Amino acid sequence: MTTSLRDTLIVVGGGVTGLSVAFIAARAGKKVVVLEGAPQVGGLLCTTEVNERPIEKFYHHFFTHDAELFWLLKQLNSTHLLEFKKASMGMYSNQKIFPFGGVIDLIRFKPLRVLDKIRFIATTSYLGLFADWRSYESISAEEWLKKWAGERCYHFIWRPLFESKFGKYSHNIPVSWMVGRLQQRMRSRKKGKEELGVIKGSSKELLKALEAALQSMGVELVVNAKVDQLQVTNNSVKGVKLVNGEEYKSENVILTVPSPIAGKLIGTHNLKLATDLGNLEYFKATCAIVELKSPLSDQYWLNIADQTLTTGGIIEQTNLVSQEEYNGSSIVYLSKYFTEKDEFSSLSEEEKKQLMLVDLKSVFPALESKQILSVQIHSSNFAAPICELNFSERIIDVQSSINGLYVCNMQHVYPDERSINNAIITAAKTCELIGVSNSYLPPKRKVLPGSVGFN
Ligand SMILES: Cc1cc2nc3c(=O)[nH]c(=O)nc-3n(C[C@H](O)[C@H](O)[C@H](O)COP(=O)(O)OP(=O)(O)OC[C@H]3O[C@@H](n4cnc5c(N)ncnc54)[C@H](O)[C@@H]3O)c2cc1C
């Protein structure tokens, strides 16, 4: 029996967005095919192995308010996988490490004066608790913070953080992005201390549970299936063609791949849409996973506020996940976000590794080379969309102008930060657009992701 073109849903991209779309649509009775270009599903959430144990290629933690992730885990009978722990934060500034996780730490933060600290608390509280992101889309965070938090606050806290995360784009990040980010972080705090979640046994366990559920519902998960082009007739999608020449037919296709890739797949079928998607730029990211004989510090997250260093963050994974999970080794991620225009982009993976290790040793001068057991480097060309001023005007509608074609990816979480939870939210909103009824969707709540592009 041949399946009608209308009955099948093709999902291109098997990252968390694609897998969540597939999960929700299949529960609602749709026949779904997921086409993933890599040898395994999971996208940015994929794992590698260190000391014979699985670990995320890119650090991943979760927040206490990640309601849609809890919902998904519940559907998978896997809530036991998520555990929350106190997480300590620090800031490396003026060649010193300052704890920077709560009000007490702020009071002790020497580079700022009392009035600066009051302005810091007042401005972050306003943005995180009260501000409406839509009113701040055209105002740069730099301009706003200098005015309201003060020059010193901007100089000692925000500027180094923005520069390490956004590089040359740090002058053009809208206040709205900070509203999204701070609202997320503030909801994760209990009595001033942050609790962060991790998946026991790594995200490999979450992906395993999700894959098993998809297969039990008859979802066809095809890996090594890199899509090369869409097939479109009379402005209606008819299927996709893979790079190996295989074809999959359907009148319903959801692209969850990064926007520039989606643009290439659309190509001449709709030049305007393809160009608009192609023009949405992304930050790249590199994470080094350093395996050590013993712990470095008691901080989970250390922001590097030092312009002489390349590395943006030092994340000591084994201050959130027990060393036992890695057969006794201590694990540290070194992270760096950059764009094609940054010099870092032109370095080889080996050069990036060496540069980041030099940074690690300058922050922790007592660290000896013999303490380092192994180092891995992982990079992504599509780590996060670059959200400049008035970014919402550039967000593409999920329901595209080609009949039957939908595009849902990280751009749609704006003004919130891209995350696993937000990928599930936007996947659910996309399923709603294709007619999946509420009973199959996570309970609705007021959230920022999915505010734009879902008309
Ligand atoms: C360094 C880093 C740290 C992060 N930390 C956290 C964190 O702590 N907490 C958190 O919640 N989130 C975190 N995230 C964000 C989170 O990983 C993403 O928001 C989420 O994984 C996005 O999923 P996605 O499916 O939208 O995209 P992706 O994971 O990018 O998936 C897209 C998929 O499409 C596939 N694809 C591409 N082209 C084709 C093609 N032509 N044909 C078929 N398939 C194709 C890719 O192989 C990929 O699997 C982090 C991300 C990075 C980069």
Side-chain angles (χ1 to χ4, degrees), residues 206-380:
L206 166 61
L207 292 171
K208 227 162 52 183
L210 191 47
E211 258 188 272
L214 290 171
Q215 274 157 356
S216 74
M217 290 189 289
V219 173
E220 204 183 326
L221 286 173
V222 194
V223 294
N224 294 312
K226 190 170 177 192
V227 175
D228 189 39
Q229 50 180 273
L230 279 182
Q231 296 175 322
V232 177
T233 309
N234 295 332
N235 200 40
S236 295
V237 73
K238 296 294 174 195
V240 300
K241 190 172 180 185
L242 307 190
V243 285
N244 66 10
E246 267 181 67
E247 293 182 5
Y248 285 80
K249 299 287 177 196
S250 171
E251 287 180 355
N252 296 294
V253 175
I254 301 182
L255 302 179
T256 68
V257 296
S259 303
I261 298 178
K264 277 196 189 128
L265 299 183
I266 293 167
T268 51
H269 295 303
N270 185 327
L271 274 177
K272 164 135 182 36
L273 181 58
T275 311
D276 288 348
L277 283 162
N279 285 341
L280 292 172
E281 290 177 276
Y282 278 61
F283 286 108
K284 298 167 182 248
T286 290
C287 276
I289 309 179
V290 186
E291 182 195 1
L292 299 165
K293 280 189 187 161
S294 49
L296 271 182
S297 74
D298 55 4
Q299 306 284 351
Y300 165 61
W301 188 280
L302 189 61
N303 278 316
I304 305 299
D306 182 331
Q307 277 184 302
T308 63
L309 303 184
T310 303
T311 304
I314 298 180
I315 299 132
E316 199 162 346
Q317 173 83 349
T318 32
N319 284 330
L320 197 60
V321 174
S322 154
Q323 275 176 255
E324 282 166 31
E325 289 287 330
Y326 307 107
N327 288 331
S329 294
S330 288
I331 307 288
V332 177
Y333 287 98
L334 309 179
S335 89
K336 166 82 180 160
Y337 291 90
F338 55 100
T339 69
E340 204 143 276
K341 292 169 198 154
D342 291 308
E343 249 174 66
F344 191 77
S345 184
S346 61
L347 301 182
S348 69
E349 294 299 86
E350 182 57 31
E351 287 167 329
K352 287 178 189 166
K353 179 168 117 182
Q354 294 308 334
L355 202 60
M356 292 171 107
L357 285 177
V358 169
D359 285 353
L360 182 65
K361 286 180 183 166
S362 70
V363 177
F364 295 98
L367 176 68
E368 294 176 47
S369 296
K370 63 181 181 201
Q371 286 288 314
I372 301 175
L373 298 172
S374 71
V375 187
Q376 289 185 22
I377 284 274
H378 298 280
S379 295
S380 165

Side-chain angles (χ1 to χ4, degrees), residues 12-18 35-38 42-44 58-62 225-227 256-257 261 285 287 337 383 410 418-420:
V12 180
V16 175
T17 306
L35 300 173
E36 166 55 50
L44 292 168
F58 303 104
Y59 62 84
H60 270 82
H61 54 242
F62 305 100
K226 190 170 177 192
V227 175
T256 68
V257 296
I261 298 178
C287 276
Y337 291 90
M410 282 193 242
R418 52 93 173 105
S419 73
I420 298 302

